[in-house]
Amino acid sequence: MNTALSWIKAYVPELDCTAQEYTDAMTLTGTKVEGYERLDKNLEKIVVGQILKIEKHPDADKLIVCQVDIGGETIQIVTGAPNVKEGDKVPVVLDGGKVAGGHDGGPLPEDGIRIKKGKLRGVESCGMMCSIEELGSDRNMYPNAPESGIYILPEDTEVGADAVAVLGLRDVVFEYEITSNRVDCYSVIGIAREAAATFRKPFCPPQVKETGNDEDINDYLQVEVKNPELCPRYCARMVKNIKLGPSPEWMQRRLAASGIRPINNLVDITNYVMEEYGQPMHAFDYDQLAGHKIVVKCAQDGDTFQTLDGQMRNLDSQVLMICDGEKEVGIAGIMGGENSKITDDVKTMVFEGACFDGTNIRLSAKRLGLRTDASGKYEKGLDPNNAKAAIDRACQLVEELGAGEVVGGTIDVYAEPRTEKRIPFELEKMNRLLGTEIPAEDMLKYFETIELRYDEAANEVIIPTFRQDLLRMADLAEEVARFFGYDNIPTTLPSGEATTGKLSEKLRVEEIAREIAEFCGFSQSMTYSFESPKVFDKLLIPAEDELRRTVTISNPLGEDFSIMRTLPLNGMLNSLSTNYNRRNKDVRLYELANVYLPKSLPLTELPEERMQLVFGMYGAGADFLTMKGVAEELFEKLGMGGKPHYNPDCGHPYLHPGRKAEIVYNGQVLGYLGELHPDVADNYRIGERTYVAVLDMPKVEACVNFDRKYEGIAKYPAVTRDISMVVPKEIMVGQIEAVIEQRGGKILESYQLFDIYEGSQIQEGFKSVAYSITFRAKDRTLEDKEVGAVMEKILHGLREMKIELRA
């Protein structure tokens, strides 16, 4: 996107800044300026001169000697230009002045060319008359310039005036990088609006007046839109009694500065409005429209169409076409047809100002291999409410330039008008997001400068339809930030746990889990979340079990990866199996694995995603108690006070019936552990006893306590008592420990199981269990009678369980 500064100033008349100041300020407010080019670069001491007298050079047939009035002074200039005559007004560079380049139109020297007084074939020359190329421009910008020779200025030009200013070269052309979400800035009006807001200057857009005679366009033309989803709005106006001719110089200069070559008044008007409003327009010869009708519909597969560039295009049913009563006359939003182009014989013309679906235009242009300025704008998704204003502006220019007579009325097919959005004005949230304390009054002033309105009663900001990028509170905060000034926003830390530079509690728990697992000799594994439905049979899971309710993948890699796992064991057992069958003797693995539990089937919302900590091992040192110790080591590290309890009466058919337990903490099941069922081990081709443990991490995280309270070194001695008991085999040591904890009171410090014995010295059905129990008081030395009393309570509780002291 290129614009001339003079065009911006037409709508921001109070704008007064240098090119660099403009570049820096606009870039800081979000309208990035890639660079700029001064049209008067290397042009110095160039004035308007009038040729008073021409004589032949005495020693050169191709040179002439001119006496040139430069305003209060006459100088002599020798030239070889063939197109000058007495009375002509021409640009003259004076002695010591500069021009941008040579008359041959080649690449411009970086520093220009300095002109000095001298002699040509013995005749003094005090300056130089300039061609348009020597002024750094070309015939694209000045179509009336001769192909070779001096540029002739209009007769009414003031002698001695600044020729650079007269030619409109005291200007700067800026190149912008516009992001695709800012469709409004693909127009001069959009850029000018941003400039006005940036420099806090009044914005004065063009005032479009009602145009047209007393006739009604509906008496001349019909419009039918058969694909409203691809053409949400179609506007048409008519101009008759066309008078083709060159457009005025100001329009030619602005178009040329934007990289558009001026052609004639009608073509220039459509291009001018496209640049000014960002709304592409097209013109049809009314007399070439069969049935005087326009129909917007898709082409048929296999159709061909000749575009304005003379090329035949192969169409398909996805390409939207503009048709008349019999045939296609243009590819919607891309290019018109050869059969309806504007010629010098045109008498009546139809202006088209429409809005087409951006995605369809982009795909159609790609398939056709035809991308134009119009398609480049349409594909970004234009505001349909802009189409009417643009076509009215075009008709206004037609009348102002005397290019024709505008027929009254407009055909406007607009089935579902686009309405303004509303976003709640959340002052505190925006300030918290930005780390600022900007008052509401200042924010609303920023919004007002970019034409956002405020509804005080509803406390909402009303978003005009041309700002399609503003959708939520964060977008409004961005608008505030860019006009408040990113460089004015103070340095603040973001809020939340990360502010202090530490991990969130969830990540801390996971990190500790990894540390404990690896400390205990486990290596981390990673397995797929995609599994086969056959997994449940391998794990002996009943057909009616809830675990078989799975999320099915709609585009699986294959049957073995067709569901999301609901338990994490399959991946772990496959890893253990692979290691076992590759003769790895001692293997310990762990994984933090997600499982996916659907809330309902078929899916109506995302499934519940839960992380599970899975341990698996076989080989030397692998047994139930070792796995239990790993879990308890983790719980202790996580600050979970008190020991967990283990319930052997649990389900889990994939575990050994006599060597499994649920892990219970504060009455809540956190997971399970045990030996793998022999049949399951066979299914996975593991030939050794294998032990697994699974912890549900969300439940574990709920029990974590990272608070640590310092307790000094004990000042008073401890008292230890050992007891050896004969216990029925069905009683677990956990039940014994529960009695010790319950009846040990405040002076109980710790207890330790140090012996379990079953043998010939113990009667059948019983086992010998021995504990060492430690007591200590924090404020005194314990007396033997205090310890004895507590021990008696513990023994009484054990006797109630049919436990006897061993003699």
Side-chain angles (χ1 to χ4, degrees), residues 31 49 70 74 137 164 172 205-206 217 294 363 485 493 531 545 557 637 686 700 729 749 754 807:
T31 309
I70 58 171
T74 300
S137 191
V164 178
V172 185
I217 186 176
I294 289 178
L363 295 175
L493 289 171
E531 290 187 337
D545 198 289
L557 299 174
K637 187 71 174 179
I686 304 175
V700 172
K729 282 188 175 181
E749 183 177 77
F754 66 87

Side-chain angles (χ1 to χ4, degrees), residues 372-394:
T372 60
D373 288 341
S375 69
K377 292 184 183 293
Y378 276 122
E379 67 188 21
K380 294 173 176 64
L382 299 184
D383 175 17
N385 291 337
N386 196 38
K388 178 68 164 56
I391 202 169
D392 286 345
R393 172 65 166 162

Side-chain angles (χ1 to χ4, degrees), residues 24 67 418 463 533 660 739:
D24 294 341
Q67 303 301 318
R418 182 173 295 179
I463 312 300
K660 63 180 179 179
V739 172

